[in-house]
Amino acid sequence: MNEAIQRDIQAINAIEAIPHIMEILASTLRLRFICVARVTEEAWTMCSVLDNAEFGLSPGDELEIETTFCRTVRANRKEIVINHASADNEYRENPIPIMYGFESYFSYPLYDAKGEFFGTLCGLDPEPRELRTEAVHGQVSAFAKLISNQILLNDHIEQTLTQLSDAKNMARLQEQYIAILGHDIRTPLSSIQIGISFLDDLIKDSEVASTVQVPVFKAVSRMKNSVQRMSRLIEDTMDFTHTRVGQGLPVKLAVSNNLSQQINYTVEELATAYPKSSIRIHVDITRPLICDDKRICQLLSNLLKNALIHGDMSYPVYVKVLTNSNDFILSVQNSGTPISDESKARLFQPFWRKESNRQNEGLGLGLFIASEIAKAHKGTLGVNSDYNGTEFTLRFPLQTVSSNIFES
């Protein structure tokens, strides 16, 4: 048996309705043998069977095509129905009923997803049965059409799953490529960064500074900003691909000794970058905790930068970080236009940005990465937004984190 026929048998056996159809036909028509067969020009192969006549045929068994009426059904694309073979002028001398020992018989064509002949729905019994009636024809032809439609549906489902699998594999390859590319770009970028740092240190020298013109200062400053932005984009891309290719965002959980200091440094860094904005910070970490300091500060930076860009600059941005008896809580709140419910539903999706904000720098990964950092700490990142302000809040349970130290 070739692989194509094996797949056809599996496809028929995957159709849950077929055993029920055979039971119904056997009961209503009083036939002891019902089957679905795959019929080609060369072979007749059993796919599914209800054998109460004990003919001994099982799925995968084959019959010589010349010894079946299904060959004729295949050639004519038309059913064959026999009530009483030994008394029928057309079939009483035919060797096929004698060979298999049946008197009543039907065989209806089945079609595949391409509309081509697939096989037959057959029924027979050693005793005569009244099968040549409109009622029987309507019932059997309806079931044959149902099976054909199910073959078509299953084929479409299989094609869709194959296409989906191909698309997933392609997406995974693309993500792996991005990860490799991001990793390889870091090396030349680091060399550029070293060169810019050398130039920056050089022009800060009092003797050299007097001979350097203003445009040079500006050029080096722009280069530094460009490299920093490239570095952020690469880091965001690498983090994104980690969530797709790996098992989530990698974190290194450890006992935090100076998180308060690092949080203050992160806020100061952004305050320098956005001098026209006002940031109010309150840090009250009273308990030791286990976290990834770097990732927590990355989350804070993403949230704070988002607030500074989208908030009303005439009002301060509030940063609060604290621990209570159970949780670590970090929140960033800004004033401004409330976030719509539609936008809330998509805020933490990768690459999503409001149409009005398409010109802002970045890939639209900041909030997505922040949410992944929260998940990596077994916590949540939520948002509340109304006319009183917009507040993003990270919360994770101290006891859960402290009992699940891991590195991924």
Side-chain angles (χ1 to χ4, degrees), residues 24 43 49 130 135 161 175 196 198 227 238 241 253 276 298 303 305 353 366 374:
I24 292 170
V49 61
E130 189 63 32
L161 290 175
E175 287 159 0
I196 292 172
F198 173 76
V227 168
M238 294 292 289
T241 54
L253 298 184
K276 295 181 179 180
Q298 181 184 6
L303 295 183
K305 184 177 180 181
R353 289 176 294 179

Side-chain angles (χ1 to χ4, degrees), residues 294-359:
K294 180 181 177 182
R295 290 297 190 185
I296 295 298
C297 290
Q298 181 184 6
L299 178 147
L300 172 59
S301 178
N302 288 351
L303 295 183
L304 184 52
K305 184 177 180 181
N306 187 71
L308 293 168
I309 291 174
H310 302 297
D312 187 341
M313 291 177 57
S314 59
Y315 293 91
V317 174
Y318 293 93
V319 176
K320 295 181 182 179
V321 185
L322 57 91
T323 55
N324 59 27
S325 58
N326 297 312
D327 299 321
F328 172 86
I329 304 168
L330 182 154
S331 68
V332 176
Q333 182 180 22
N334 64 272
S335 300
T337 304
I339 301 172
S340 68
D341 290 339
E342 180 184 357
S343 294
K344 283 181 188 177
R346 303 178 64 186
L347 273 177
F348 301 112
Q349 294 178 3
F351 303 114
W352 184 82
R353 289 176 294 179
K354 291 176 64 177
E355 290 295 332
S356 59
N357 297 323
R358 294 291 180 185
Q359 300 305 317

Side-chain angles (χ1 to χ4, degrees), residues 178 232-242 363 365:
I178 291 171
R232 287 196 301 270
L233 292 174
I234 291 171
E235 291 297 330
D236 284 351
T237 304
M238 294 292 289
D239 284 341
F240 171 73
T241 54
H242 272 301
L363 298 172
L365 290 173

Side-chain angles (χ1 to χ4, degrees), residues 179-199:
I180 294 169
L181 182 63
H183 182 271
D184 289 346
I185 287 176
R186 280 175 168 172
T187 301
L189 187 62
S190 296
S191 299
I192 295 171
Q193 210 160 12
I194 291 171
I196 292 172
S197 296
F198 173 76
L199 289 174

Side-chain angles (χ1 to χ4, degrees), residues 138-258:
Q139 183 181 29
V140 180
S141 61
F143 280 136
K145 186 175 182 179
L146 177 63
I147 294 172
S148 295
N149 287 340
Q150 194 64 46
I151 293 172
L152 170 63
L153 177 61
N154 284 12
D155 186 72
H156 284 170
I157 291 173
E158 184 176 347
Q159 288 180 8
T160 301
L161 290 175
T162 299
Q163 291 170 355
L164 181 60
S165 177
D166 291 343
K168 286 182 177 179
N169 289 335
M170 179 61 70
R172 184 168 291 273
L173 285 174
Q174 290 173 342
E175 287 159 0
Q176 289 174 341
Y177 173 77
I178 291 171
I180 294 169
L181 182 63
H183 182 271
D184 289 346
I185 287 176
R186 280 175 168 172
T187 301
L189 187 62
S190 296
S191 299
I192 295 171
Q193 210 160 12
I194 291 171
I196 292 172
S197 296
F198 173 76
L199 289 174
D200 194 35
D201 291 339
L202 186 64
I203 62 178
K204 287 177 181 177
D205 183 274
S206 57
E207 294 183 5
V208 177
S210 60
T211 63
V212 175
Q213 309 218 347
V214 172
V216 176
F217 284 101
K218 291 183 176 179
V220 172
S221 178
R222 284 197 297 269
M223 290 166 65
K224 285 171 63 179
N225 291 335
S226 295
V227 168
Q228 288 172 0
R229 182 166 178 264
M230 288 173 64
S231 297
R232 287 196 301 270
L233 292 174
I234 291 171
E235 291 297 330
D236 284 351
T237 304
M238 294 292 289
D239 284 341
F240 171 73
T241 54
H242 272 301
T243 66
R244 289 297 190 261
V245 179
Q247 300 296 321
L249 200 68
V251 294
K252 295 181 179 180
L253 298 184
V255 176
S256 175
N257 295 315
N258 62 346

Side-chain angles (χ1 to χ4, degrees), residues 42 73 99 133 139 252 277 298 335 346 348 372 381:
E42 296 83 17
V73 174
M99 177 184 300
T133 69
Q139 183 181 29
K252 295 181 179 180
S277 298
Q298 181 184 6
S335 300
R346 303 178 64 186
F348 301 112
E372 292 296 313
L381 178 62

